[in-house]
Coordinates of all heavy atoms in Angstrom, one line a residue:
M8 N -4.7 -22.9 -18.3 CA -3.5 -22.1 -17.8 C -2.4 -23.0 -17.4 O -2.5 -24.1 -17.0 CB -4.0 -21.3 -16.6 CG -3.1 -20.2 -16.3 SD -3.7 -19.1 -14.9 CE -5.0 -18.3 -15.7
N9 N -1.1 -22.5 -17.7 CA 0.1 -23.3 -17.5 C 0.5 -23.2 -16.1 O 0.9 -22.2 -15.5 CB 1.1 -22.7 -18.5 CG 2.4 -23.5 -18.4 OD1 2.8 -23.9 -17.4 ND2 3.0 -23.6 -19.6
A10 N 0.5 -24.4 -15.4 CA 0.9 -24.5 -14.0 C 2.3 -24.1 -13.8 O 2.6 -23.5 -12.8 CB 0.6 -25.9 -13.5
L11 N 3.2 -24.4 -14.7 CA 4.6 -24.0 -14.5 C 4.8 -22.5 -14.5 O 5.5 -22.0 -13.6 CB 5.4 -24.6 -15.7 CG 6.9 -24.2 -15.8 CD1 7.6 -24.8 -14.5 CD2 7.6 -24.7 -17.0
I12 N 4.1 -21.8 -15.3 CA 4.1 -20.4 -15.3 C 3.6 -19.9 -14.0 O 4.2 -19.0 -13.3 CB 3.3 -19.8 -16.5 CG1 4.1 -20.1 -17.8 CG2 3.2 -18.3 -16.3 CD1 3.2 -19.7 -19.0
Q13 N 2.5 -20.4 -13.6 CA 1.9 -19.8 -12.3 C 2.9 -20.1 -11.1 O 3.1 -19.2 -10.3 CB 0.6 -20.6 -12.0 CG -0.5 -20.1 -12.9 CD -1.8 -20.7 -12.4 OE1 -1.9 -21.9 -12.3 NE2 -2.7 -19.9 -12.0
T14 N 3.5 -21.2 -11.1 CA 4.4 -21.6 -10.0 C 5.6 -20.7 -10.0 O 5.9 -20.1 -9.0 CB 4.8 -23.0 -10.1 OG1 3.7 -23.9 -10.0 CG2 5.8 -23.4 -9.0
D15 N 6.2 -20.5 -11.1 CA 7.4 -19.7 -11.2 C 7.1 -18.2 -10.9 O 7.8 -17.6 -10.2 CB 8.0 -19.8 -12.6 CG 9.4 -19.2 -12.6 OD1 9.5 -18.0 -12.9 OD2 10.4 -19.9 -12.3
Q16 N 6.0 -17.7 -11.5 CA 5.7 -16.3 -11.3 C 5.3 -16.1 -9.8 O 5.7 -15.0 -9.2 CB 4.5 -15.9 -12.2 CG 5.0 -15.7 -13.6 CD 4.0 -15.2 -14.6 OE1 2.8 -15.4 -14.3 NE2 4.3 -14.7 -15.7
A17 N 4.6 -17.0 -9.2 CA 4.3 -16.9 -7.8 C 5.6 -16.9 -7.0 O 5.7 -16.1 -6.0 CB 3.4 -18.0 -7.3
H18 N 6.5 -17.7 -7.3 CA 7.8 -17.8 -6.7 C 8.5 -16.4 -6.7 O 9.1 -16.0 -5.8 CB 8.6 -18.9 -7.2 CG 10.0 -19.0 -6.6 ND1 10.1 -19.5 -5.2 CD2 11.2 -18.7 -7.0 CE1 11.4 -19.5 -4.9 NE2 12.1 -19.0 -5.9
A19 N 8.5 -15.8 -7.9 CA 9.1 -14.6 -8.1 C 8.4 -13.4 -7.5 O 8.9 -12.3 -7.5 CB 9.4 -14.4 -9.6
G20 N 7.1 -13.6 -7.1 CA 6.3 -12.6 -6.5 C 5.4 -11.9 -7.5 O 4.6 -11.1 -7.1
C21 N 5.6 -12.2 -8.8 CA 4.7 -11.6 -9.8 C 3.3 -12.1 -9.7 O 3.1 -13.2 -9.2 CB 5.3 -12.0 -11.2 SG 6.7 -11.0 -11.7
R22 N 2.4 -11.2 -10.1 CA 1.0 -11.6 -10.2 C 0.8 -12.4 -11.5 O 0.9 -11.8 -12.5 CB 0.1 -10.4 -10.1 CG 0.0 -9.7 -8.8 CD -1.0 -8.6 -8.8 NE -0.5 -7.5 -9.6 CZ 0.1 -6.5 -9.1 NH1 0.4 -6.4 -7.8 NH2 0.5 -5.5 -9.9
P23 N 0.4 -13.6 -11.4 CA 0.1 -14.3 -12.7 C -1.0 -13.6 -13.4 O -2.0 -13.2 -12.9 CB -0.4 -15.7 -12.2 CG 0.2 -15.9 -10.8 CD 0.2 -14.5 -10.2
G24 N -0.7 -13.5 -14.7 CA -1.7 -12.8 -15.6 C -1.7 -11.3 -15.5 O -2.6 -10.6 -15.9
C25 N -0.5 -10.8 -15.1 CA -0.4 -9.3 -15.0 C 0.0 -8.8 -16.4 O -0.8 -8.2 -17.1 CB 0.6 -8.9 -14.0 SG 1.1 -7.1 -14.0
G26 N 1.2 -9.1 -16.8 CA 1.6 -8.8 -18.2 C 2.0 -7.3 -18.4 O 2.3 -6.9 -19.5
A27 N 2.0 -6.5 -17.3 CA 2.4 -5.1 -17.5 C 3.7 -4.9 -18.1 O 3.9 -4.0 -18.9 CB 2.2 -4.4 -16.1
C28 N 4.7 -5.7 -17.7 CA 6.0 -5.6 -18.2 C 6.1 -5.9 -19.7 O 7.1 -5.7 -20.4 CB 7.0 -6.6 -17.5 SG 7.3 -6.0 -15.8
C29 N 5.1 -6.6 -20.2 CA 5.0 -7.1 -21.6 C 4.3 -6.1 -22.5 O 4.0 -6.3 -23.7 CB 4.4 -8.4 -21.7 SG 5.2 -9.6 -20.5
I30 N 3.8 -5.0 -21.9 CA 3.0 -4.0 -22.6 C 3.7 -2.6 -22.5 O 4.0 -1.9 -23.5 CB 1.6 -3.9 -22.1 CG1 0.9 -5.2 -22.3 CG2 0.8 -2.7 -22.8 CD1 -0.5 -5.3 -21.6
A31 N 3.9 -2.1 -21.3 CA 4.3 -0.7 -21.0 C 5.7 -0.4 -21.6 O 5.9 0.6 -22.3 CB 4.2 -0.4 -19.6
P32 N 6.7 -1.2 -21.2 CA 8.1 -0.8 -21.7 C 8.4 -1.1 -23.1 O 7.8 -2.1 -23.7 CB 9.0 -1.7 -20.8 CG 8.2 -2.5 -19.9 CD 6.8 -2.4 -20.4
S33 N 9.3 -0.4 -23.7 CA 9.8 -0.8 -25.0 C 10.8 -1.9 -24.8 O 11.5 -2.0 -23.8 CB 10.5 0.4 -25.7 OG 11.6 0.8 -24.9
I34 N 10.9 -2.8 -25.8 CA 12.0 -3.8 -25.9 C 12.7 -3.7 -27.2 O 12.1 -3.7 -28.3 CB 11.3 -5.2 -25.7 CG1 10.6 -5.3 -24.3 CG2 12.3 -6.3 -25.9 CD1 10.0 -6.7 -24.0
T35 N 14.0 -3.5 -27.1 CA 14.8 -3.2 -28.3 C 15.4 -4.4 -28.8 O 16.0 -4.4 -29.9 CB 15.9 -2.2 -27.9 OG1 16.7 -2.7 -26.8 CG2 15.3 -0.9 -27.5
T36 N 15.3 -5.6 -28.2 CA 15.9 -6.8 -28.8 C 14.8 -7.6 -29.5 O 13.6 -7.4 -29.2 CB 16.5 -7.7 -27.7 OG1 15.5 -8.0 -26.7 CG2 17.7 -7.0 -27.1
P37 N 15.1 -8.4 -30.5 CA 14.1 -9.1 -31.2 C 13.3 -10.1 -30.3 O 13.8 -10.6 -29.4 CB 14.9 -10.0 -32.2 CG 16.2 -9.3 -32.4 CD 16.5 -8.6 -31.0
I38 N 12.0 -10.2 -30.6 CA 11.1 -11.1 -30.0 C 10.5 -11.9 -31.1 O 10.2 -11.4 -32.2 CB 9.9 -10.3 -29.3 CG1 10.4 -9.3 -28.3 CG2 8.9 -11.2 -28.7 CD1 9.4 -8.3 -27.8
P39 N 10.4 -13.2 -30.9 CA 9.8 -14.0 -32.0 C 8.4 -13.4 -32.4 O 7.6 -13.2 -31.5 CB 9.6 -15.4 -31.3 CG 10.7 -15.5 -30.4 CD 10.8 -14.0 -29.8
G40 N 8.3 -13.1 -33.6 CA 7.0 -12.4 -34.1 C 7.2 -10.9 -34.2 O 6.3 -10.2 -34.8
M41 N 8.2 -10.4 -33.5 CA 8.4 -8.9 -33.5 C 9.9 -8.7 -33.7 O 10.7 -8.5 -32.7 CB 7.9 -8.3 -32.2 CG 6.5 -8.5 -31.9 SD 5.9 -7.7 -30.3 CE 5.1 -6.3 -31.0
P42 N 10.5 -8.9 -34.9 CA 11.9 -8.9 -35.1 C 12.6 -7.6 -34.7 O 13.8 -7.6 -34.4 CB 12.0 -9.2 -36.6 CG 10.7 -8.9 -37.2 CD 9.7 -9.1 -36.1
N43 N 11.9 -6.5 -34.6 CA 12.6 -5.3 -34.2 C 12.2 -4.9 -32.8 O 12.4 -3.8 -32.3 CB 12.1 -4.2 -35.1 CG 12.5 -4.4 -36.6 OD1 13.6 -4.8 -36.8 ND2 11.6 -4.2 -37.5
G44 N 11.8 -5.9 -32.0 CA 11.4 -5.6 -30.6 C 10.0 -4.9 -30.6 O 9.3 -5.1 -31.6
K45 N 9.7 -4.2 -29.6 CA 8.4 -3.5 -29.6 C 8.5 -2.2 -28.9 O 9.3 -1.9 -28.0 CB 7.4 -4.4 -28.8 CG 7.6 -4.4 -27.3 CD 6.4 -5.1 -26.7 CE 6.2 -4.6 -25.2 NZ 5.9 -3.2 -25.1
P46 N 7.6 -1.2 -29.4 CA 7.6 0.2 -28.8 C 6.9 0.1 -27.5 O 6.2 -0.8 -27.2 CB 6.8 1.0 -29.8 CG 6.6 0.1 -31.0 CD 6.8 -1.3 -30.6
A47 N 7.2 1.1 -26.7 CA 6.4 1.3 -25.4 C 5.0 1.3 -25.6 O 4.5 1.9 -26.6 CB 6.9 2.5 -24.7
G48 N 4.2 0.6 -24.8 CA 2.8 0.7 -24.8 C 2.1 -0.2 -25.9 O 0.9 -0.3 -25.9
V49 N 2.9 -1.0 -26.5 CA 2.4 -2.0 -27.5 C 2.5 -3.4 -26.8 O 3.5 -3.8 -26.2 CB 3.3 -2.0 -28.8 CG1 2.9 -3.1 -29.7 CG2 3.1 -0.6 -29.4
R50 N 1.4 -4.1 -27.0 CA 1.3 -5.4 -26.4 C 2.2 -6.4 -27.2 O 2.1 -6.5 -28.4 CB -0.1 -5.9 -26.5 CG -0.4 -7.2 -25.9 CD -2.0 -7.5 -26.0 NE -2.2 -8.8 -25.5 CZ -2.6 -9.0 -24.2 NH1 -2.7 -8.0 -23.4 NH2 -2.7 -10.2 -23.7
C51 N 3.0 -7.1 -26.4 CA 3.9 -8.2 -27.1 C 3.0 -9.2 -27.7 O 2.0 -9.7 -27.2 CB 4.8 -8.8 -26.0 SG 5.8 -10.1 -26.7
V52 N 3.4 -9.6 -28.9 CA 2.6 -10.7 -29.6 C 2.6 -12.0 -28.9 O 1.8 -12.9 -29.1 CB 3.0 -10.9 -31.1 CG1 2.7 -9.6 -31.9 CG2 4.4 -11.3 -31.2
Q53 N 3.6 -12.2 -28.0 CA 3.8 -13.5 -27.3 C 2.9 -13.4 -26.0 O 3.0 -14.5 -25.3 CB 5.2 -13.8 -27.0 CG 6.1 -13.9 -28.2 CD 5.6 -15.0 -29.1 OE1 4.9 -16.0 -28.7 NE2 6.0 -15.0 -30.4
L54 N 2.3 -12.3 -25.7 CA 1.5 -12.3 -24.5 C 0.1 -12.9 -24.8 O -0.6 -12.4 -25.7 CB 1.3 -10.8 -24.0 CG 0.8 -10.6 -22.6 CD1 1.6 -11.3 -21.6 CD2 0.6 -9.1 -22.4
D55 N -0.3 -14.0 -24.1 CA -1.5 -14.6 -24.6 C -2.8 -14.0 -23.9 O -2.6 -12.9 -23.2 CB -1.5 -16.1 -24.3 CG -1.6 -16.5 -22.8 OD1 -1.9 -15.6 -22.0 OD2 -1.4 -17.6 -22.5
E56 N -3.9 -14.5 -24.2 CA -5.2 -13.9 -23.8 C -5.4 -13.9 -22.3 O -6.2 -13.2 -21.8 CB -6.4 -14.6 -24.5 CG -6.5 -16.1 -24.1 CD -5.6 -17.0 -24.9 OE1 -4.8 -16.5 -25.7 OE2 -5.8 -18.2 -24.7
N57 N -4.5 -14.7 -21.6 CA -4.5 -14.7 -20.1 C -3.5 -13.8 -19.6 O -3.1 -13.9 -18.4 CB -4.4 -16.1 -19.6 CG -5.7 -17.0 -20.0 OD1 -6.8 -16.5 -19.8 ND2 -5.4 -18.1 -20.5
N58 N -2.8 -13.0 -20.4 CA -1.7 -12.2 -20.0 C -0.5 -13.0 -19.4 O 0.2 -12.7 -18.4 CB -2.1 -11.1 -19.1 CG -2.9 -10.1 -19.7 OD1 -2.7 -9.7 -20.9 ND2 -3.9 -9.6 -19.0
L59 N -0.3 -14.2 -20.1 CA 0.9 -15.0 -19.7 C 1.7 -15.1 -21.0 O 1.2 -15.1 -22.1 CB 0.4 -16.4 -19.3 CG -0.5 -16.5 -18.0 CD1 -1.0 -17.9 -17.8 CD2 0.4 -16.1 -16.8
C60 N 3.1 -15.3 -20.7 CA 4.0 -15.3 -21.9 C 3.9 -16.7 -22.5 O 4.1 -17.7 -21.8 CB 5.4 -15.1 -21.4 SG 6.6 -15.2 -22.6
R61 N 3.7 -16.7 -23.8 CA 3.7 -18.0 -24.6 C 5.1 -18.6 -24.6 O 5.2 -19.8 -24.9 CB 3.3 -17.8 -26.0 CG 1.8 -17.4 -26.1 CD 1.4 -17.3 -27.6 NE 0.0 -17.0 -27.7 CZ -0.5 -15.8 -27.9 NH1 0.3 -14.8 -27.9 NH2 -1.8 -15.5 -28.0
L62 N 6.2 -17.8 -24.4 CA 7.6 -18.3 -24.5 C 8.2 -18.7 -23.2 O 9.4 -19.0 -23.1 CB 8.4 -17.2 -25.2 CG 8.0 -16.8 -26.6 CD1 8.9 -15.8 -27.2 CD2 7.9 -18.0 -27.5
F63 N 7.4 -18.6 -22.1 CA 8.0 -18.9 -20.8 C 8.7 -20.2 -20.8 O 8.1 -21.3 -21.2 CB 7.0 -18.8 -19.7 CG 7.5 -18.8 -18.4 CD1 8.0 -17.5 -17.8 CD2 7.8 -19.9 -17.6 CE1 8.6 -17.5 -16.5 CE2 8.4 -19.9 -16.4 CZ 8.8 -18.7 -15.8
G64 N 10.0 -20.3 -20.4 CA 10.7 -21.6 -20.3 C 11.3 -22.0 -21.7 O 12.0 -23.0 -21.8
D65 N 11.0 -21.2 -22.7 CA 11.5 -21.5 -24.1 C 12.8 -20.7 -24.3 O 13.0 -19.6 -23.8 CB 10.5 -21.0 -25.1 CG 10.7 -21.5 -26.5 OD1 11.8 -21.1 -27.1 OD2 9.9 -22.2 -27.0
T66 N 13.8 -21.3 -25.0 CA 15.0 -20.6 -25.2 C 14.9 -19.4 -26.2 O 15.8 -18.6 -26.2 CB 16.0 -21.6 -25.9 OG1 15.5 -22.1 -27.1 CG2 16.4 -22.7 -24.9
T67 N 13.8 -19.3 -26.8 CA 13.6 -18.1 -27.7 C 13.1 -16.9 -27.0 O 13.0 -15.8 -27.5 CB 12.7 -18.4 -28.9 OG1 11.4 -18.7 -28.4 CG2 13.2 -19.6 -29.7
R68 N 12.7 -17.1 -25.7 CA 12.3 -15.9 -25.0 C 13.4 -14.9 -24.8 O 14.6 -15.3 -24.4 CB 11.8 -16.4 -23.6 CG 11.1 -15.3 -22.8 CD 10.6 -15.9 -21.5 NE 9.8 -15.0 -20.6 CZ 10.1 -14.8 -19.3 NH1 11.0 -15.5 -18.7 NH2 9.4 -13.9 -18.7
P69 N 13.2 -13.6 -25.1 CA 14.3 -12.7 -25.0 C 14.9 -12.6 -23.6 O 14.2 -12.7 -22.6 CB 13.6 -11.4 -25.3 CG 12.4 -11.7 -26.1 CD 12.0 -13.1 -25.6
A70 N 16.2 -12.5 -23.6 CA 17.0 -12.4 -22.3 C 16.5 -11.3 -21.4 O 16.3 -11.5 -20.2 CB 18.5 -12.3 -22.5
V71 N 16.1 -10.2 -22.0 CA 15.6 -9.1 -21.1 C 14.4 -9.5 -20.4 O 14.2 -9.0 -19.2 CB 15.3 -7.9 -22.0 CG1 14.2 -8.1 -23.0 CG2 15.1 -6.6 -21.2
C72 N 13.6 -10.3 -20.9 CA 12.3 -10.7 -20.2 C 12.6 -11.5 -18.9 O 11.8 -11.5 -18.0 CB 11.4 -11.5 -21.1 SG 11.1 -10.6 -22.7
T73 N 13.7 -12.2 -18.9 CA 14.0 -13.0 -17.7 C 14.3 -12.1 -16.5 O 14.4 -12.5 -15.4 CB 15.2 -14.0 -17.9 OG1 16.4 -13.2 -18.2 CG2 14.9 -14.9 -19.1
R74 N 14.6 -10.8 -16.8 CA 14.9 -9.9 -15.7 C 13.7 -9.1 -15.2 O 13.8 -8.3 -14.3 CB 16.0 -8.9 -16.2 CG 17.3 -9.5 -16.6 CD 18.4 -8.6 -16.7 NE 18.4 -7.7 -17.8 CZ 18.9 -8.1 -19.0 NH1 19.5 -9.2 -19.2 NH2 18.8 -7.2 -20.0
F75 N 12.5 -9.4 -15.7 CA 11.3 -8.9 -15.2 C 11.0 -9.5 -13.8 O 10.9 -10.7 -13.7 CB 10.1 -9.2 -16.1 CG 10.1 -8.6 -17.5 CD1 9.3 -9.1 -18.5 CD2 10.9 -7.4 -17.7 CE1 9.3 -8.5 -19.7 CE2 10.9 -6.9 -19.0 CZ 10.1 -7.4 -20.0
T76 N 11.0 -8.7 -12.8 CA 10.8 -9.2 -11.5 C 9.8 -8.3 -10.7 O 9.6 -7.2 -11.1 CB 12.0 -9.3 -10.6 OG1 12.6 -8.0 -10.6 CG2 13.0 -10.3 -11.2
F77 N 9.2 -8.9 -9.7 CA 8.2 -8.1 -8.9 C 8.9 -7.1 -8.1 O 9.9 -7.3 -7.4 CB 7.4 -9.0 -8.0 CG 6.4 -8.3 -7.2 CD1 5.1 -8.0 -7.8 CD2 6.6 -8.0 -5.9 CE1 4.2 -7.3 -7.1 CE2 5.6 -7.4 -5.1 CZ 4.4 -7.0 -5.8
D78 N 8.4 -5.8 -8.2 CA 8.9 -4.7 -7.3 C 7.7 -4.0 -6.7 O 6.9 -3.4 -7.5 CB 9.7 -3.8 -8.2 CG 10.2 -2.6 -7.5 OD1 9.7 -2.2 -6.4 OD2 11.2 -2.0 -8.0
A79 N 7.5 -4.2 -5.4 CA 6.3 -3.7 -4.8 C 6.1 -2.2 -5.1 O 4.9 -1.8 -5.3 CB 6.4 -4.0 -3.3
A80 N 7.1 -1.4 -5.1 CA 7.0 0.0 -5.4 C 6.5 0.3 -6.8 O 5.7 1.2 -7.0 CB 8.3 0.7 -5.2
L81 N 6.9 -0.5 -7.7 CA 6.4 -0.3 -9.1 C 5.1 -1.0 -9.4 O 4.3 -0.5 -10.1 CB 7.5 -0.9 -10.1 CG 8.5 0.1 -10.7 CD1 9.4 -0.7 -11.7 CD2 7.8 1.2 -11.4
C82 N 5.0 -2.2 -8.9 CA 3.8 -3.1 -9.3 C 2.6 -2.7 -8.5 O 1.5 -3.1 -9.0 CB 4.2 -4.5 -9.1 SG 5.7 -5.0 -10.1
G83 N 2.7 -2.1 -7.3 CA 1.5 -1.7 -6.6 C 0.7 -2.9 -6.2 O 1.1 -4.0 -6.0
D84 N -0.7 -2.6 -6.1 CA -1.6 -3.6 -5.6 C -2.3 -4.4 -6.7 O -3.0 -5.4 -6.4 CB -2.6 -3.0 -4.6 CG -2.0 -2.4 -3.4 OD1 -0.9 -2.9 -2.9 OD2 -2.5 -1.3 -2.9
K85 N -2.3 -3.9 -7.8 CA -3.0 -4.5 -8.9 C -2.4 -4.2 -10.3 O -1.5 -3.3 -10.3 CB -4.5 -4.1 -8.9 CG -4.7 -2.7 -9.0 CD -6.2 -2.3 -8.8 CE -6.5 -0.8 -8.9 NZ -5.8 0.1 -8.0
R86 N -2.8 -4.9 -11.3 CA -2.2 -4.9 -12.6 C -2.3 -3.4 -13.1 O -1.3 -2.9 -13.7 CB -3.0 -5.8 -13.5 CG -2.6 -5.7 -15.0 CD -3.4 -6.8 -15.7 NE -2.8 -6.9 -17.0 CZ -3.2 -6.2 -18.1 NH1 -4.3 -5.4 -18.0 NH2 -2.6 -6.3 -19.3
E87 N -3.4 -2.7 -12.9 CA -3.5 -1.4 -13.3 C -2.5 -0.4 -12.8 O -2.0 0.5 -13.4 CB -4.9 -0.8 -13.1 CG -6.0 -1.4 -13.9 CD -6.3 -2.9 -13.5 OE1 -6.0 -3.3 -12.4 OE2 -6.9 -3.7 -14.4
D88 N -2.1 -0.7 -11.5 CA -1.0 0.1 -10.8 C 0.3 -0.1 -11.6 O 1.1 0.8 -11.8 CB -0.8 -0.3 -9.3 CG -2.0 0.0 -8.5 OD1 -2.9 0.8 -8.9 OD2 -2.1 -0.6 -7.4
A89 N 0.6 -1.4 -11.9 CA 1.9 -1.7 -12.5 C 1.9 -1.1 -13.9 O 2.9 -0.5 -14.3 CB 2.0 -3.2 -12.6
L90 N 0.8 -1.2 -14.6 CA 0.7 -0.6 -16.0 C 1.0 1.0 -15.9 O 1.8 1.5 -16.7 CB -0.6 -0.9 -16.6 CG -0.6 -2.1 -17.6 CD1 -2.1 -2.3 -18.0 CD2 0.3 -2.0 -18.8
A91 N 0.3 1.6 -15.0 CA 0.4 3.1 -14.9 C 1.9 3.4 -14.4 O 2.4 4.4 -15.0 CB -0.5 3.6 -13.8
A92 N 2.5 2.8 -13.5 CA 3.8 3.1 -13.0 C 4.8 2.8 -14.1 O 5.8 3.6 -14.3 CB 4.1 2.3 -11.8
L93 N 4.7 1.7 -14.8 CA 5.7 1.4 -15.8 C 5.5 2.3 -17.0 O 6.5 2.7 -17.7 CB 5.5 -0.1 -16.3 CG 6.0 -1.1 -15.3 CD1 5.5 -2.5 -15.7 CD2 7.5 -1.1 -15.2
T94 N 4.4 2.7 -17.3 CA 4.1 3.7 -18.4 C 4.7 5.0 -18.1 O 5.4 5.7 -18.9 CB 2.6 3.9 -18.7 OG1 2.1 2.6 -19.1 CG2 2.3 4.9 -19.8
E95 N 4.6 5.4 -16.8 CA 5.2 6.7 -16.4 C 6.7 6.6 -16.4 O 7.4 7.5 -16.9 CB 4.7 7.0 -15.0 CG 5.1 8.4 -14.5 CD 4.5 8.8 -13.1 OE1 3.5 8.3 -12.8 OE2 5.3 9.4 -12.4
L96 N 7.2 5.5 -15.9 CA 8.7 5.3 -15.9 C 9.2 5.3 -17.4 O 10.2 5.9 -17.6 CB 9.0 4.0 -15.2 CG 10.5 3.7 -15.0 CD1 11.1 4.7 -14.0 CD2 10.7 2.3 -14.5
E97 N 8.5 4.7 -18.3 CA 9.0 4.6 -19.7 C 9.0 6.1 -20.3 O 9.9 6.4 -21.0 CB 8.0 3.7 -20.5 CG 8.4 3.5 -21.9 CD 9.7 2.7 -22.1 OE1 10.0 1.9 -21.2 OE2 10.3 2.8 -23.2
G98 N 8.0 6.8 -19.9 CA 7.9 8.2 -20.4 C 9.1 9.1 -19.8 O 9.6 9.9 -20.5
A99 N 9.5 8.8 -18.6 CA 10.5 9.5 -17.9 C 11.9 9.2 -18.4 O 12.8 10.0 -18.5 CB 10.5 9.3 -16.4
T100 N 12.0 7.9 -18.9 CA 13.4 7.5 -19.3 C 13.5 7.3 -20.8 O 14.6 7.2 -21.3 CB 13.7 6.1 -18.6 OG1 12.8 5.2 -19.0 CG2 13.8 6.2 -17.1
G101 N 12.4 7.1 -21.5 CA 12.4 6.9 -22.9 C 12.5 8.0 -23.7 O 13.2 8.6 -24.4
Ligands
SF4_212 S1 8.4 -12.4 -24.8 FE1 7.0 -13.0 -23.1 S2 7.9 -12.1 -21.3 FE2 8.9 -11.1 -23.1 S3 7.5 -9.2 -23.4 FE3 6.7 -10.9 -24.7 S4 5.1 -11.8 -23.5 FE4 6.4 -10.6 -22.1

């Protein structure tokens, strides 16, 4: 596991290995490996098997991804809470 990712995500309040933001929402800007972005509910190809971003700290990481931050109301107590809330939000706004 990448210590830099863990440190930064912990600092931001994110749960390392969550990845809900990389699955539930749609992303309309290009992602390396997904030139048209990704639809809601589709796992980003850059999300690794530990639910960590392979592009963290890389200049090719989409700008929108740098705005993913921990929000207690959305993220809840566990990964499943975050996925459910983000999926619902995407349905409400998408
Ligand atoms: S590029 Fe990284 S941070 Fe952005 S959605 Fe994909 S896995 Fe998540």
Side-chain angles (χ1 to χ4, degrees):
M8 195 174 289
N9 185 320
L11 176 63
I12 291 172
Q13 284 190 304
T14 300
D15 189 270
Q16 287 184 336
H18 180 71
C21 283
R22 286 186 291 268
C25 174
C28 290
C29 311
I30 298 170
S33 61
I34 294 180
T35 56
T36 56
I38 301 166
M41 301 179 103
N43 298 316
K45 73 170 207 66
V49 172
R50 184 182 178 86
C51 177
V52 297
Q53 298 299 338
L54 194 60
D55 74 11
E56 64 279 5
N57 295 312
N58 291 325
L59 296 171
C60 178
R61 292 185 177 93
L62 301 179
F63 192 87
D65 190 297
T66 56
T67 63
R68 187 178 185 225
V71 65
C72 302
T73 66
R74 297 198 286 272
F75 294 160
T76 57
F77 182 80
D78 178 335
L81 262 184
C82 301
D84 295 325
K85 57 187 181 303
R86 178 173 190 267
E87 289 72 21
D88 294 342
L90 265 174
L93 288 167
T94 299
E95 187 177 326
L96 187 67
E97 183 71 20
T100 60

